[in-house]
Amino acid sequence: MPDMDERATPLSAEEMALWRAWKQASDTVRARIAADISAATGLSDPDFGVLTRVVEDGGGRMRQNQLAESMGYHRSRLSHHLTRMQQRGLITRREAGDGVEVIVTDAGRAAVATARPVHAAAVRRHLLGPLTAADRATLLSLLERLSG
Amino acid sequence: MPDMDERATPLSAEEMALWRAWKQASDTVRARIAADISAATGLSDPDFGVLTRVVEDGGGRMRQNQLAESMGYHRSRLSHHLTRMQQRGLITRREAGDGVEVIVTDAGRAAVATARPVHAAAVRRHLLGPLTAADRATLLSLLERLSG
DNA sequence: CAAGATTGAACCCTCAATCTTA
DNA sequence: TAAGATTGAGGGTTCAATCTTG
């Protein structure tokens, strides 16, 4: 049997460089922003996301099912996460007719209030700041193509 | 006490759009590539990274410590991961004088050989393909600035 | 002691199975 | 039965504590 070229064509040096830079930057930016928020408040990225959603879109309380949908979370993921957040005193859950209602505690409100400006500053410092206006425009259109 | 402007300046609509697009694209591209590799071989992203490193840079065997350094992994992370990979039959570990030697099994070699072209194709399909040559050039320089 | 490695706990995510109840 | 929610198992990561051995 002849060599079937099973290895197809490997990534060229240019392709590899872009791939590695992409992976590196994705990880780095995410980690830096998460670290800033965590240092200031103890909140993880998902904690911040959940609290922000419930406080801003629901005034501090929201149906668990609606929360899952609006965040693109599977039921089980949200259930597991809320269990942990509840144990840390960030939220409470209450049986509410046809579903469960998630209620942000005072501690949860305080944490997210502290986190908000830290998050904005972190996004500016670690993502927006290093880019020129032209970079930002190109990047936005290109990112949208990648997610499509 | 007057309002202290505790909320600093929130992200503008443009800033928010770029931040969201960034998060979205980071997650999407990573997930798609990982899904392709997993579907073809059952390997996770870290599995593929470890096997590639040991096979390509070490010919199939490498000191655990050296592996950790070359991958930027903390000792404990690598230890936990190798324990799982060992249970799945992808590698073996052997006491070797001043450290532990990681050895890729035949099953590990087979898996990474299958994964390699799938990975290259996935990177092209999900990252490189949707971009123009100009996009790629801009993106590379911009990503390097973000990681710096 | 110091370096290499392991371990346990806590966090996070996914999948599949289960429970509950209208 | 179907929707909302939980649970358990298994994979992944981090941190701090520990073990081991030159």
Side-chain angles (χ1 to χ4, degrees), chain B:
Chain B
M1 201 201 291
D3 199 290
M4 297 280 295
D5 189 13
E6 255 242 310
R7 291 165 313 156
T9 75
L11 296 178
S12 70
E14 289 74 25
E15 290 175 318
M16 188 67 92
L18 188 52
W19 161 241
R20 286 209 243 257
W22 171 269
K23 253 199 319 187
Q24 176 71 35
S26 297
D27 287 348
T28 301
V29 171
R30 184 175 300 294
R32 285 177 184 164
I33 294 176
D36 284 359
I37 295 177
S38 173
T41 66
L43 296 179
S44 70
D45 203 64
D47 290 342
F48 179 63
V50 165
L51 292 176
T52 299
R53 187 70 63 161
V54 177
V55 168
E56 291 185 357
D57 293 11
R61 45 182 63 221
M62 188 181 286
R63 286 300 165 81
Q64 187 166 321
N65 190 40
Q66 183 192 343
L67 178 56
E69 269 173 25
S70 76
M71 306 238 322
Y73 273 31
H74 289 307
R75 290 185 208 308
S76 107
R77 177 178 177 184
L78 184 59
S79 182
H80 281 303
H81 197 74
L82 291 179
T83 297
R84 275 175 259 125
M85 290 181 74
Q86 191 162 11
Q87 279 162 356
R88 281 177 258 146
L90 297 169
I91 59 128
T92 301
R93 277 186 279 193
R94 196 177 70 79
E95 206 18 83
D98 56 334
V100 172
E101 191 175 39
V102 178
I103 301 155
V104 177
T105 64
D106 288 348
R109 280 179 188 281
V112 78
T114 304
R116 236 187 311 255
V118 174
H119 175 256
V123 169
R124 292 203 179 98
R125 177 159 43 241
H126 303 304
L127 176 64
L128 274 11
L131 305 180
T132 66
D135 284 337
R136 294 190 193 191
T138 305
L139 185 57
L140 181 59
S141 88
L142 164 175
L143 292 174
E144 282 165 349
R145 237 172 306 140
L146 289 176
S147 303

